[in-house]
Amino acid sequence: MDAILTWISDNPSYSHYLVLSLACFEAAVGIGLFIPGAVLLSVAVFLYTQQLIRIEELLPLAFAGAAFGDQSGYWTGRWIGPAFHTTAFAGRNRQHINRTEALIRRYGWGAILIGRIIPAIRSIVPLITGISGYSALKYILFDLLAVGIWTLLLGLAVVGTSGLFAS
């Protein structure tokens, strides 16, 4: 983490791209399992407290990156589709996958919202939603709502956490 913060200090002109990329990567299928939301939060707090980015710049970038990451996961799931169920991975995890798909079908928007808010499943829910055949229009609308809520929570966390460093 220190290496990232040092790099940002040395290259402040890339701050905007970094926020956009981290928000996208933490939501992207596969990559999101290795880039936790804490990295984005730490970088965002650093950028904000060092006055390298204003909150009104940071939040739209985070929104755009997160929405793109979620949408790429959903459309990857749609592309893979039912063939996913014939893979060895799906065979080993059939019970969990069936349960997740049932929750998505039953609770739709709630599952998408919870999936966006909880870091541990953030990159998986869009993929499973796409695989399950959930309506694309509904997914896009509910995901954008969920990303909007997540963005507001990120903004509150950045501003609140930066207050700890102000004294």
Side-chain angles (χ1 to χ4, degrees):
M1 190 68 205
D2 289 335
I4 293 173
L5 298 180
T6 301
W7 183 84
I8 294 169
S9 294
D10 294 341
N11 301 286
S13 61
Y14 293 109
S15 300
H16 293 76
Y17 301 113
L18 188 61
V19 169
L20 182 72
S21 299
L22 286 174
C24 179
F25 292 154
E26 74 159 358
V29 174
I31 300 170
L33 298 173
F34 302 103
I35 299 180
V39 173
L40 173 62
L41 179 60
S42 299
V43 167
V45 168
F46 178 80
L47 292 171
Y48 181 71
T49 58
Q50 297 300 308
Q51 298 178 346
L52 297 173
I53 195 168
R54 295 185 331 265
I55 198 75
E56 46 288 333
E57 296 170 315
L58 186 141
L59 296 182
L61 291 167
F63 179 93
F68 183 79
D70 284 357
Q71 292 300 314
S72 67
Y74 173 80
W75 290 105
T76 299
R78 289 293 292 245
W79 177 68
I80 293 170
F84 171 78
H85 293 287
T86 63
T87 65
F89 175 82
R92 288 190 306 271
N93 297 287
R94 181 141 340 268
Q95 184 178 19
H96 298 296
I97 292 168
N98 289 341
R99 192 174 338 152
T100 303
E101 286 183 327
L103 286 171
I104 289 167
R105 281 196 279 292
R106 183 169 181 194
Y107 298 107
W109 69 272
I112 293 166
L113 175 64
I114 297 300
R116 165 87 322 247
I117 303 299
I118 299 176
I121 60 173
R122 185 172 295 147
S123 66
I124 302 300
V125 169
L127 178 72
I128 299 296
T129 305
I131 289 170
S132 74
Y134 193 79
S135 163
L137 180 59
K138 285 183 182 180
Y139 179 77
I140 291 167
L141 293 174
F142 293 144
D143 182 60
L144 292 177
L145 175 64
V147 171
I149 292 168
W150 171 85
T151 302
L152 290 174
L153 294 172
L154 175 67
L156 290 171
V158 167
V159 172
T161 304
S162 66
L164 298 174
F165 300 107
S167 27

